[in-house]
Amino acid sequence: MHKYILSFLLLAATVFAEDPAPAADLPLPEQAAAALEAGETKDAVKLYEKAIKASPDDAQLQTDYAQALGVRIGQVNFMAQGFIASKMLKAYERSVEIDPDHLTGWIGLCRYYLNAPAIAGGSADKAETYAKEVHQRVAWLGEVELGLVAEKRGDLDAAKTHFEAALAAKPGYPEATKALERIAAKSTE
């Protein structure tokens, strides 16, 4: 009989033991980032949504949420993707509404329109509009975004010119370097 009581007490101690570093002790944005890093995208999105309710005027939080949605969108079915895409777009738009100089928001809008299918509003023209917003704030980053737009349109010469301009201003920038390698590979096809 004592053996069963001891087993029960050991089991109860294990079940009710405190987590050595409970994530709930972290602020919501940090919990969300940790969940995203752990691959728990559904939980990360929910945590970002709670954090946004608590701090609706935080531009960086809006873009962090949008980026988490960008990861999540690849893990859901086609019908859910449209719903998530809408939330992502609204979060990027809200970020630049809060802070018109929030660079991550402008880049996010450019990339959203560059990569979204037409049915979700994707458009190289809209992407170019946001790339120009980036360019006004940080010219070399704008050159990268304009290069991506030109590449999407199939204008490899213009894309190359933009990426080279980015590298002239920011030597060794990995995204521009990789883009030029992509352009070179496409040019030989």
Side-chain angles (χ1 to χ4, degrees):
M1 180 84 160
H2 295 291
K3 181 175 161 184
Y4 296 112
I5 293 173
L6 182 58
S7 294
F8 174 77
L9 291 174
L10 286 172
L11 177 63
T14 303
V15 169
F16 296 108
E18 276 192 54
D19 186 7
D25 288 348
L26 297 174
L28 282 171
E30 290 180 33
Q31 289 180 47
L36 188 61
E37 188 174 321
E40 299 164 357
T41 58
K42 188 175 183 179
D43 292 338
V45 166
K46 286 179 183 178
L47 288 164
Y48 276 122
E49 287 170 348
K50 287 180 183 178
I52 286 171
K53 283 183 183 177
S55 299
D57 295 327
D58 184 331
Q60 185 61 51
L61 188 56
Q62 293 286 339
T63 55
D64 290 346
Y65 171 55
Q67 290 169 346
L69 289 167
V71 175
R72 181 76 181 137
I73 205 167
Q75 302 170 337
V76 298
N77 66 41
F78 180 75
M79 295 301 287
Q81 287 177 351
F83 181 68
I84 290 174
S86 174
K87 286 180 163 185
M88 184 184 347
L89 179 58
K90 286 178 185 172
Y92 281 130
E93 290 172 337
R94 178 73 179 123
S95 74
V96 297
E97 178 185 306
I98 294 165
D99 178 2
D101 289 322
H102 187 64
L103 201 56
T104 311
W106 291 115
I107 292 170
L109 283 166
C110 180
R111 303 276 174 108
Y112 174 87
Y113 284 108
L114 196 59
N115 294 306
I119 195 168
S123 160
D125 291 342
K126 288 180 183 176
E128 183 178 16
T129 299
Y130 295 117
K132 289 177 180 176
E133 291 287 345
V134 174
H135 196 273
Q136 287 178 355
R137 287 157 178 81
V138 179
W140 69 269
L141 275 175
E143 291 293 343
V144 171
E145 297 306 308
L146 289 166
L148 292 171
V149 172
E151 182 181 4
K152 180 76 168 192
R153 288 179 170 149
D155 188 346
L156 300 183
D157 291 335
K160 181 179 176 187
T161 299
H162 286 298
F163 295 132
E164 287 173 344
L167 284 172
K170 186 75 170 175
Y173 184 62
E175 188 171 14
T177 302
K178 289 178 186 174
L180 282 174
E181 291 169 2
R182 237 183 6 257
I183 298 295
K186 287 180 182 179
S187 296
T188 61
E189 291 177 353

